[in-house]
Amino acid sequence: MEADFHITIGKILIYILAGIVIGFLARLLVPGRQRMSFVGTVVLGVVAAVIGGVLWNAIFPNNDGIAWIGSIIVAVVMVWLYARLAPRRAGGAGPGEVRRGPAMRRPGRRRPH
């Protein structure tokens, strides 16, 4: 078995485009909010496209043209893992979040210990 790799600018651009699509599809399919940048989404999508495509072709060798299904499955798993394992942002509240400091708490309500 001999691996034949020919990397061209066209293939790199196709992987980046596939990374954008696969990354955003995966983020849409995973419930909840993922605090991931655009670049992080593209990188995740490209990595998932490569890993998922290789795995899909290894499991189903005679199914040309549908390796993107494996790429999306891998990307969904990667986004889910990222959402579970990535540290929460330590700073202030994000968009749509209300930050309640000690001065903003309602009077008469104690914080549980």
Side-chain angles (χ1 to χ4, degrees):
M1 187 157 107
E2 184 178 314
D4 188 23
F5 293 108
H6 295 289
I7 298 177
T8 63
I9 297 294
K11 285 186 180 183
I12 291 171
L13 292 175
I14 288 172
Y15 272 106
I16 291 171
L17 180 63
I20 292 170
V21 173
I22 290 169
F24 278 108
L25 280 175
R27 287 185 66 183
L28 285 174
L29 293 173
V30 174
R33 182 177 179 160
Q34 304 88 31
R35 298 179 194 274
M36 188 182 308
S37 68
F38 174 76
V39 174
T41 302
V42 173
V43 170
L44 182 136
V46 170
V47 170
V50 172
I51 294 171
V54 168
L55 288 175
W56 188 268
N57 286 330
I59 296 170
F60 306 106
N62 295 327
N63 289 320
D64 292 335
I66 59 171
W68 57 269
I69 297 171
S71 299
I72 292 174
I73 292 169
V74 170
V76 166
V77 170
M78 289 174 69
V79 168
W80 182 82
L81 286 171
Y82 177 86
R84 297 287 176 237
L85 300 176
R88 301 281 188 243
R89 206 167 42 182
E97 296 177 359
V98 176
R99 182 176 181 189
R100 291 187 182 247
M104 295 184 69
R105 290 196 186 101
R106 292 186 209 127
R109 298 191 87 182
R110 291 187 166 204
R111 223 167 82 173
H113 296 291

